[in-house]
Amino acid sequence: PDLERIYRIAAHWQTPQESHWTVATSAPLATTLSSHYPQVEETARVLTLGSRLVKKGDQAFYETGAAIADNSVLKILGLPLLHGNIESALNEPNSLVINQSLALKYFGHSDVVGEVLSLNNRDFEVTGVMADSPSNTHLKMTMLISIELLRRIKYPMDAWFYSNMYTYVKLMRGSAPEDFNALLKGLALQHAPSDAFDPGQIVHYRLQPVRDI
């Protein structure tokens, strides 16, 4: 039933020369939604990474489906953990959640919380093991790195112009999506710094039901 309240944010960019829709959004959008809109129950950000070189001992393979994410993505997108704490699995910068297939491939069993994997020559502690994504999901993720890593490496978490993340939002029960869309339209103008975008550039946001993706 919660699926009806879960959306991805789409952005409509306009300049004097052109306009286009995208689902790539910036890091501060989620924090703004959580801080200023009581209609929002929870938000989550996902930054897809493509493939990563995964190493464990003598094993080394390029694996697809890597992403950086807020811990809240586990609940919002319904990614059940087979092992680990869903409330805190992605709270620390070096934490890593992998799917069951990767756990079996590199360790031979699925309960591997506390083990270490190297991704692109950086060590991460496995803090959760999630079920493999179903074939019909719009976002096939095999491993999730904590978004706290971005803060550690000084990623511009406050930059509105740097749009490369998916932003998911779960609305409070009783919140009307169309009423919220009306609020989203002026969000950037209301909350982003005046110098966040190029002169003449305008961005409007809109809800995209996850069930329709």
Side-chain angles (χ1 to χ4, degrees):
D2 282 357
L3 185 62
E4 302 299 314
R5 299 192 284 133
I6 299 171
Y7 302 84
R8 185 172 66 182
I9 303 293
H12 186 216
W13 288 84
Q14 295 174 275
T15 68
Q17 292 77 35
E18 62 176 356
S19 67
H20 69 277
W21 282 96
T22 178
V23 292
T25 52
S26 56
L29 175 59
T31 51
T32 300
L33 288 167
S34 295
S35 300
H36 297 281
Y37 294 85
Q39 301 89 346
V40 172
E41 181 174 315
E42 202 163 20
T43 61
R45 295 163 292 191
V46 176
L47 172 60
T48 56
L49 299 174
S51 65
R52 283 293 182 268
L53 178 61
V54 179
K55 293 181 182 178
K56 173 63 178 176
D58 293 333
Q59 299 181 85
F61 300 95
Y62 280 97
E63 305 285 359
T64 60
I68 291 176
D70 286 303
N71 189 73
S72 53
V73 77
L74 297 170
K75 286 187 175 181
I76 287 186
L77 293 186
L79 305 174
L81 290 190
L82 306 176
H83 306 283
N85 186 345
I86 198 168
E87 303 293 341
S88 59
L90 291 174
N91 280 1
E92 299 299 325
N94 68 328
S95 56
L96 174 71
V97 171
I98 61 175
N99 70 2
Q100 187 175 29
S101 289
L102 287 183
L104 294 173
K105 179 176 180 177
Y106 288 92
F107 300 99
H109 58 101
S110 63
D111 188 0
V112 295
V113 171
E115 297 283 0
V116 175
L117 272 180
S118 170
L119 273 64
N120 282 19
N121 299 312
R122 181 189 289 266
D123 285 345
F124 292 87
E125 179 185 352
V126 179
T127 50
V129 178
M130 60 185 173
D132 289 5
S133 299
S135 58
N136 63 344
T137 184
H138 73 281
L139 197 59
K140 291 181 172 63
M141 297 180 292
T142 62
M143 61 191 104
L144 297 173
I145 299 166
S146 171
I147 205 166
E148 296 302 319
L149 177 66
L150 295 183
R151 294 188 174 89
R152 174 168 288 184
I153 64 175
K154 309 301 183 186
Y155 179 93
M157 297 295 286
D158 297 325
W160 285 85
F161 62 85
Y162 209 58
S163 298
N164 59 358
M165 298 182 179
Y166 298 130
T167 300
Y168 295 89
V169 59
K170 183 177 183 179
L171 294 184
M172 299 289 287
R173 292 190 187 280
S175 295
E178 285 309 313
D179 290 345
F180 193 64
N181 273 329
L183 296 174
L184 282 179
K185 189 172 183 181
L187 182 148
L189 189 62
Q190 184 175 356
H191 295 285
S194 58
D195 60 351
F197 307 107
D198 293 334
Q201 193 174 52
I202 301 171
V203 58
H204 298 309
Y205 298 107
R206 185 171 179 82
L207 297 173
Q208 181 183 33
V210 166
R211 68 175 183 273
D212 295 340
I213 301 174

